[in-house]
Amino acid sequence: MATIPDQQSIEFFDSVWENKNSGERLSAIMQLSQNGNEGQQALIQIALHDEHVAVRIGALKHIHNLDALLELQIRQGPLQESAAHQYFRVLAGSLDSDISEAQRLQTIRSLPNTGLKQVALLAKSKTAGGEAINLIDEPEELMDLCLFAASVHVRKNAALKITDKELLLELREKVQNKDKTVFRIVDRRISEQVDAAKPDRASQTDKNLKSGKTKPTAVIAESKTTSAQQTPKSKAKAGSGRNKTPDIKTLDVKSKASATPDPKPKGATASAPEAIDPEVQLPRLEAELSKTSYKNTGRLNSLRMGVNSLRKAVAQASEEVQEKTNNLHSALLEMQDKNKSHQEHLQVVTESLLLVLGKALEDGQSLDALPAWDKIRGNISNTSGKLKTALQKKANIHKDKLNELRDWKIFASTEKKKGLVAQMQHLIESKMHAADKSKHIGNMHKQWKALGRSSRNEALWREFKKLSDKAYEPCKEYFKQRKQLMASNLKRRREICDSLEHELESLVEENLNISKLNTLLRDAENEWQQFAPIEQSKIKSLQKRYYGLVNQFRKLRKNALRTNSKQKQDYISQARSLAASEDNNKAMSEAKRLQQQWKKLGPTSYKEDKIFWEDFRAACDKIFAKRNQQAAESRKNLQQTETNLEKILQSLGSVFTLDDDSFRKSRTDYQDLIQQFSTAMDPRIKTQRKRLLDQFNSLKSKIESRFNTLPNKKAMLLKNAVLAKSKFLEHLEDKLLNSKDDDQFKERKNQIDRKAWEEIEPSGNLQYEEALHDRLEKTIATVSVEELRTLAQENEIRIRSLCIDLEIRANMDTPREDEALRMQIQLDQLKNSFGKSRPDRSENLKVAMDAELLGLCIGPLSAEVQKQLSQRLDGAIRKLM
């Protein structure tokens, strides 16, 4: 909540201030500033006590009481620097205040040098600026005022106080084309010093007049007019080499000051007008008009005055001179017409920019407002007459808000510069690489320069520069080592050039090896790139030497490629001639000879090599066309034979995958396929012969082995009988296992058809019959679903053991969940079979057949377990058989 001032404050402030937010309070500040002394007291209270810094600074901008501003300067806080700046603005007359002129001058006389300089920089009152400039004697301070003071009066008086010739020369260079008033004064001061050093200048001037070196009166008038028409640029370059950043307010110079010619100093005598020489003036004006754009309004007005003076002077001249003068005048009028249209365009653009400026000032956007203001001033400076006056009047409406925004920017610049000082301090302590640190230091200097003026500008700059120099110390050592490296690289590159020169002298163009030459150039380029960087002052001549040598090597290579190209074209012509020969054997012999010689030829370019080889090969292909045709037919027949053999092998594979009944009946087909394969195997088959024979022998062995292991008719009958009863039991057990409750279980168990069981034809094997009968009785003996499921779990262990036993015998992997059980079974088998020989194939076959039948007798089992373990059992049986 904002702090409410005392009861003597105005009623408006006392009644509504507490309930306003910070944005509304900023708006109310404008109203308070118009309420005289009571409003000033309220603004002082706000600046001292409001909780929002933005509101306090906003109030500060409207305080012009010097005692209050001094009190705010004494207090520590964010308003200290802004209060000091506001204090100097009041003394400089930049703000309307109740302070008398005598009090202002008395206060200015008591200021230190830094305060005097700030008043002079900001002064808009001639008396305040004059008083401050009279008390400043340091030449460097005077030079800064010449460059950055807002008042032309201050800039002129500062220039008049400088006596050091070197500073005057430096100042003239800096203000040239920027501040014509100061430039003229400085130029005159330098001329006076030169005249004092050369007393005979008057006689020299007479000589110059006779030789035409001194400017005529029209040109002098022209330069004055140009100076009067053009306003100074809105931005000045930073200091005179002492790293001082100009205050942004010093750039806002009044257009009146730049439009008013500099009055002549006291005691100066007016020189008599000089006569215009048309022979000299006409070519000069023509040259200046040709270089002048129709957009340069001030220059065109100056040229118009010069042309008008010339027209009066050529009244008695020759017709040729009069004609050229009239042509010059016509060209000037045409350009002025274009300039009129250009000024109308500038009016539209400037009015649009004024709207943008107003919106930016309203929103407080300095990034948009200041560039728009610079463009507006530039456009106005390029207009003239009533249009310029009207646009200047519209622009002046925004000056107060713009100055306030600039003050805000100065405050922001101060905070950012403090941040840059802190960053530079951090950079000193960082372990960053010296090259990167150097770049960061440079970037931070650019940021500092871009921020422009700020409060405590010189003190902050000295601190920033001191830290910058300290941070740069490690970079010096890095750049020293870098310089040594560049010297070493320079030496190595010179050695590369020496080596290339030696190689160039030893090359023989007739026996040039292009492959070695390419390797030489590639290695040289890699080494050249490796030894970098080098000093820029020495790299140009060395590069010229290196690339000159490289170009000589490339020229030799180009000549060699051209020679190889001609030889290959000749061989292609010979091959094409041989293709038309009737003696095919002789043509083939010659073609082979050409092919051998072709291999000995050096390369051409990649693109040409490909084309030449295709043409040469096509010509040779025609020569060998007949033999190639026979060979192609032979290859085609062999490919067909290989295809037929592949089909026979596929048929043999299909025979092996048949079921037992179909497999038993396929013996005749098998024999036919064996005979077909033996007949089709062509001895000319080379590459695929071994693969085809290996595949055939493997299939033949598998099929014959399976024929040998096919069960006999008795065994088939046994298996079918056991399978029939096993299927009956599986259906019964599945139905019982899926009962919802015990009642349904009992009901389904009572429905068992014993008669159907007894009607199934027995297998005749007592072992399996007893096992199946025992399976049925155990199922019937259960009294509940849970008991039957327990029995199924016991049988699951039995069938798993049977699967594992067969997998061990067949040397197959067992699923991870049964690995522990497999290990136990293997240990038991190891104990029982110690000292026994390894089982043979017939024994494995018998075990597999018994296991298959035994597996059909084990039950009950859940459907999922039955499916899973049946697949495992079938896989192991198939592997053993």
Side-chain angles (χ1 to χ4, degrees):
M1 182 183 73
T3 305
I4 301 178
D6 54 30
Q7 295 299 322
Q8 284 74 25
S9 300
I10 60 173
E11 181 180 357
F12 169 79
F13 179 77
D14 187 43
S15 60
V16 302
W17 192 259
E18 184 176 8
N19 297 322
K20 287 185 173 293
N21 59 36
S22 59
E24 293 173 339
R25 294 204 297 276
L26 280 171
S27 301
I29 285 173
M30 293 298 296
Q31 300 180 37
L32 290 173
S33 64
Q34 300 173 3
N35 291 330
N37 291 332
E38 292 181 346
Q40 283 289 305
Q41 291 300 319
L43 291 172
I44 292 170
Q45 292 296 323
I46 295 171
L48 288 171
H49 303 297
D50 197 279
E51 63 181 4
H52 289 277
V53 175
V55 176
R56 296 171 65 188
I57 294 177
L60 176 65
K61 300 301 181 184
H62 298 281
I63 296 175
H64 49 75
N65 185 291
L66 294 178
D67 294 334
L69 291 173
L70 283 173
E71 181 182 353
L72 288 169
Q73 288 184 59
I74 296 171
R75 293 180 177 231
Q76 296 293 330
L79 268 68
Q80 187 177 27
E81 295 181 3
S82 298
H85 190 66
Q86 182 76 355
Y87 182 78
F88 294 132
R89 289 177 66 194
V90 173
L91 290 177
S94 300
L95 295 176
D96 294 334
S97 63
D98 297 335
I99 183 173
S100 65
E101 195 68 26
Q103 183 182 357
R104 176 184 286 112
L105 296 178
Q106 183 179 358
T107 306
I108 291 173
R109 295 188 190 102
S110 65
L111 292 175
N113 285 341
T114 54
L116 291 172
K117 183 178 179 181
Q118 287 297 320
V119 172
L121 284 170
L122 300 171
K124 291 190 177 179
S125 166
K126 286 188 177 182
T127 54
E131 187 65 28
I133 202 68
N134 288 335
L135 298 173
I136 297 175
D137 296 321
E138 291 78 0
E140 293 184 352
E141 303 295 340
L142 293 171
M143 186 170 180
D144 284 347
L145 292 174
C146 290
L147 292 170
F148 306 126
S151 171
V152 66
H153 177 75
V154 172
R155 298 199 302 273
K156 287 163 52 179
N157 288 330
L160 291 171
K161 290 189 69 175
I162 298 175
T163 58
D164 189 307
K165 183 179 179 181
E166 291 184 0
L167 283 181
L168 287 172
L169 291 171
E170 182 180 354
L171 180 59
R172 182 174 66 173
E173 182 180 351
K174 289 181 178 296
V175 299
Q176 188 174 7
N177 299 325
K178 295 179 178 63
D179 191 335
K180 294 187 179 297
T181 302
V182 175
F183 178 78
R184 286 197 300 271
I185 293 174
V186 173
D187 193 52
R188 188 176 69 244
R189 296 293 307 281
I190 293 172
S191 299
E192 289 173 355
Q193 292 185 5
V194 172
D195 291 343
K198 297 181 180 180
D200 58 340
R201 184 178 178 188
S203 60
Q204 184 66 31
T205 303
D206 294 338
K207 293 180 182 179
N208 291 340
L209 284 171
K210 292 179 181 180
S211 61
K213 293 182 179 180
T214 307
K215 289 185 179 180
T217 306
V219 177
I220 296 173
E222 172 190 335
S223 62
K224 290 183 178 181
T225 307
T226 304
S227 174
Q229 291 292 337
Q230 295 179 348
T231 59
K233 293 186 178 179
S234 60
K235 292 182 179 180
K237 292 185 177 179
S240 57
R242 295 177 298 279
N243 296 317
K244 296 184 179 180
T245 308
D247 188 345
I248 193 170
K249 287 189 66 62
T250 64
L251 308 179
D252 185 18
V253 184
K254 289 186 177 181
S255 59
K256 292 181 180 180
S258 60
T260 306
D262 184 34
K264 295 183 179 179
K266 295 180 180 180
T269 58
S271 59
E274 299 180 12
I276 297 176
D277 185 358
E279 298 293 337
V280 175
Q281 188 70 357
L282 179 59
R284 186 175 298 167
L285 290 175
E286 288 177 340
E288 291 184 8
L289 183 62
S290 64
K291 297 177 183 179
T292 303
S293 170
Y294 70 90
K295 296 181 180 180
N296 194 336
T297 305
R299 191 64 188 148
L300 288 176
N301 290 337
S302 176
L303 283 171
R304 183 187 62 189
M305 295 176 64
V307 171
N308 290 338
S309 300
L310 180 63
R311 292 178 67 193
K312 294 178 182 179
V314 299
Q316 305 298 326
S318 64
E319 294 182 359
E320 182 182 357
V321 173
Q322 291 182 7
E323 183 179 359
K324 288 183 178 181
T325 304
N326 292 333
N327 293 338
L328 178 64
H329 183 250
S330 300
L332 180 62
L333 291 177
E334 182 179 352
M335 195 171 288
Q336 284 184 321
D337 290 338
K338 292 182 180 180
N339 177 260
K340 184 177 180 182
S341 301
H342 176 63
Q343 289 195 51
E344 293 173 355
H345 172 70
L346 286 180
Q347 180 182 7
V348 175
V349 173
T350 304
E351 289 176 350
S352 175
L353 287 171
L354 286 169
L355 295 176
V356 173
L357 176 63
K359 181 67 168 59
L361 290 173
E362 183 179 349
D363 297 339
Q365 298 293 332
S366 62
L367 292 177
D368 296 333
L370 296 177
W373 175 253
D374 292 338
K375 291 178 182 178
I376 289 168
R377 293 186 62 215
N379 291 347
I380 293 175
S381 68
N382 214 16
T383 58
S384 60
K386 295 181 179 180
L387 176 59
K388 183 172 185 176
T389 304
L391 291 176
Q392 187 68 55
K393 185 176 180 181
K394 291 180 180 179
N396 288 339
I397 297 174
H398 303 286
K399 267 199 168 184
D400 292 337
K401 286 188 177 180
L402 188 69
N403 289 336
E404 185 175 349
L405 190 63
R406 282 173 171 164
D407 293 338
W408 275 94
K409 187 174 181 182
I410 288 175
F411 174 75
S413 297
T414 303
E415 298 303 316
K416 290 179 180 178
K417 286 187 176 182
K418 289 179 180 178
L420 287 174
V421 170
Q423 291 180 33
M424 189 64 76
Q425 178 66 49
H426 177 72
L427 195 62
I428 294 174
E429 302 167 359
S430 72
K431 304 298 183 182
M432 189 183 300
H433 189 272
D436 296 331
K437 183 178 286 189
S438 175
K439 291 179 182 178
H440 278 285
I441 293 172
N443 291 333
M444 291 170 69
H445 273 270
K446 290 179 182 178
Q447 295 177 35
W448 184 282
K449 187 175 181 180
L451 288 174
R453 289 287 297 181
S454 65
S455 301
R456 296 181 55 223
N457 191 61
E458 295 180 8
L460 287 174
W461 165 250
R462 285 192 294 270
E463 183 178 2
F464 179 77
K465 185 66 169 61
K466 181 180 178 181
L467 295 174
S468 172
D469 293 341
K470 187 175 181 180
Y472 191 74
E473 288 178 0
C475 303
K476 293 180 180 178
E477 181 62 26
Y478 165 75
F479 287 116
K480 179 181 178 182
Q481 296 176 0
R482 180 179 171 87
K483 188 174 182 180
Q484 294 174 352
L485 175 63
M486 288 192 293
S488 174
N489 290 337
L490 177 63
K491 181 180 178 182
R492 296 301 300 270
R493 283 195 171 184
R494 285 175 177 168
E495 292 175 356
I496 293 172
C497 292
D498 294 340
S499 176
L500 288 177
E501 288 174 349
H502 177 71
E503 291 291 339
L504 186 62
E505 292 175 358
S506 62
L507 281 180
V508 179
E509 189 171 357
E510 289 76 12
N511 299 323
L512 186 64
N513 189 322
I514 295 179
S515 178
K516 290 183 178 180
L517 179 57
N518 289 336
T519 303
L520 174 67
L521 290 175
R522 183 172 58 253
D523 293 344
E525 182 65 22
N526 291 337
E527 289 185 30
W528 184 266
Q529 296 296 335
Q530 178 183 355
F531 298 115
I534 330 177
E535 292 183 24
Q536 291 298 317
S537 60
K538 300 178 181 178
I539 194 172
K540 191 172 181 180
S541 59
L542 192 60
Q543 280 183 333
K544 185 177 180 181
R545 179 187 176 191
Y546 170 75
Y547 287 111
L549 291 168
V550 169
N551 289 334
Q552 291 185 56
F553 280 107
R554 289 174 178 171
K555 185 177 180 181
L556 290 174
R557 181 176 60 185
K558 186 177 181 181
N559 294 335
L561 292 175
R562 187 183 297 113
T563 302
N564 293 339
S565 175
K566 289 180 180 179
Q567 290 181 351
K568 289 187 176 184
Q569 288 175 358
D570 182 53
Y571 285 178
I572 292 169
S573 300
Q574 294 182 40
R576 287 172 178 172
S577 300
L578 290 172
S581 175
E582 295 181 359
D583 189 349
N584 192 57
N585 290 331
K586 183 178 179 181
M588 286 192 296
S589 177
E590 287 294 321
K592 291 178 182 178
R593 183 183 62 81
L594 287 176
Q595 288 175 347
Q596 293 300 321
Q597 292 179 354
W598 183 280
K599 293 179 182 179
K600 297 178 182 179
L601 290 176
T604 58
S605 66
Y606 175 78
K607 185 177 180 181
E608 286 183 337
D609 250 352
K610 185 177 180 182
I611 296 172
F612 290 157
W613 172 245
E614 289 176 354
D615 292 344
F616 181 71
R617 184 176 179 180
C620 291
D621 287 345
K622 288 182 181 181
I623 299 172
F624 298 102
K626 294 178 181 180
R627 189 185 68 176
N628 292 341
Q629 185 176 0
Q630 294 174 355
E633 291 177 358
S634 176
R635 284 195 299 272
K636 184 176 181 182
N637 293 333
L638 288 177
Q639 288 176 358
Q640 184 62 42
T641 301
E642 290 181 7
T643 303
N644 294 335
L645 290 172
E646 293 284 357
K647 290 181 179 179
I648 293 172
L649 291 173
Q650 290 177 5
S651 300
L652 286 173
S654 301
V655 168
F656 182 74
T657 58
L658 295 173
D659 59 81
D660 288 348
D661 291 337
S662 301
F663 184 73
R664 183 179 287 105
K665 297 175 184 178
S666 66
R667 186 179 292 275
T668 303
D669 296 335
Y670 165 68
Q671 296 296 337
D672 293 340
L673 290 171
I674 294 295
Q675 185 63 35
Q676 290 176 20
F677 185 86
S678 300
T679 305
M681 178 58 70
D682 194 321
R684 292 176 298 172
I685 298 175
K686 302 296 182 183
T687 55
Q688 300 296 328
R689 184 180 184 83
K690 185 177 184 304
R691 181 184 66 80
L692 293 170
L693 286 174
D694 289 346
Q695 190 174 353
F696 171 74
N697 291 329
S698 177
L699 286 170
K700 182 180 177 182
S701 176
K702 288 182 179 179
I703 293 172
E704 289 179 353
S705 176
R706 185 176 176 188
F707 274 128
N708 293 332
T709 58
L710 277 175
N712 55 29
K713 188 174 181 180
K714 183 179 178 180
M716 290 296 297
L717 292 174
L718 175 62
K719 179 180 177 181
N720 291 336
V722 173
L723 183 61
K725 288 191 175 183
S726 177
K727 292 292 183 183
F728 179 87
L729 291 173
E730 284 179 14
H731 177 71
L732 172 64
E733 292 161 355
D734 185 62
K735 190 174 181 181
L736 292 174
L737 285 170
N738 290 325
S739 300
K740 295 181 180 179
D741 50 29
D742 291 344
D743 292 336
Q744 188 180 31
F745 173 80
K746 292 177 181 179
E747 180 181 353
R748 289 181 175 179
K749 191 172 70 169
N750 293 332
Q751 294 176 358
I752 295 176
D753 189 357
R754 288 269 190 174
K755 187 177 180 181
W757 168 261
E758 294 173 354
E759 288 178 353
I760 299 175
E761 185 178 354
S763 63
N765 187 300
L766 182 61
Q767 176 187 357
Y768 300 128
E769 285 296 324
E770 288 180 355
L772 290 169
H773 182 74
D774 184 59
R775 176 178 174 181
L776 175 63
E777 292 302 326
K778 285 183 178 180
T779 301
I780 295 174
T782 55
V783 296
S784 64
V785 178
E786 189 62 32
E787 186 177 351
L788 183 62
R789 288 174 181 168
T790 303
L791 181 60
Q793 292 175 357
E794 294 174 357
N795 289 324
E796 180 181 348
I797 297 174
R798 290 178 59 199
I799 193 72
R800 283 185 185 275
S801 299
L802 181 61
C803 290
I804 294 170
D805 185 58
L806 287 182
E807 287 168 348
I808 294 171
R809 184 177 288 271
N811 196 20
M812 294 175 61
D813 292 333
T814 299
R816 182 174 295 179
E817 62 267 17
D818 290 340
E819 285 181 354
L821 184 57
R822 174 171 175 155
M823 185 175 293
Q824 182 63 41
I825 293 172
Q826 283 179 317
L827 289 173
D828 294 340
Q829 287 180 355
L830 186 61
K831 293 177 183 178
N832 297 330
S833 62
F834 185 77
K836 295 183 180 180
S837 61
R838 187 175 180 180
D840 57 9
R841 180 177 178 79
S842 60
E843 184 180 348
N844 286 338
L845 180 60
K846 184 178 182 305
V847 170
M849 294 177 66
D850 290 341
E852 183 178 13
L853 295 175
L854 183 60
L856 295 174
C857 298
I858 297 175
L861 293 168
S862 64
E864 183 178 354
V865 173
Q866 178 74 31
K867 181 179 179 182
Q868 177 187 0
L869 297 181
S870 295
Q871 292 177 354
R872 284 178 59 184
L873 192 61
D874 290 342
I877 292 170
R878 195 177 301 110
K879 183 74 178 291
L880 286 172
M881 294 178 67

